[in-house]
Amino acid sequence: MPGSTPWGSWMEVGAAVPTADGTVSAWTPSWVYTGGETVAHDGRLWKAKWWTRNQEPGASPWGPWQDLGAL
């Protein structure tokens, strides 16, 4: 069933979030980020440093996300 788990075969597309430099997607736990993607989460922009899924931006300073600053 879609959306029942972040580890299932379905991936939720994040909502479009306008920024000063264009539009990015909101982070979702089920989407696969392969590295280099920029997302919006909790009022900040984050860039994936490597492959990640279900690892929330800002949850760990050693995690897969680089904080790019406020929206």
Side-chain angles (χ1 to χ4, degrees), residues 26-64:
W27 175 81
T28 67
S30 62
W31 192 262
V32 172
Y33 303 95
T34 58
E37 296 92 346
T38 300
V39 299
H41 182 65
D42 285 344
R44 302 190 72 75
L45 291 175
W46 301 87
K47 182 176 180 178
K49 296 188 277 186
W50 55 76
W51 189 100
T52 181
R53 186 176 195 189
N54 196 32
Q55 292 179 288
E56 185 176 359
S60 168
W62 303 280

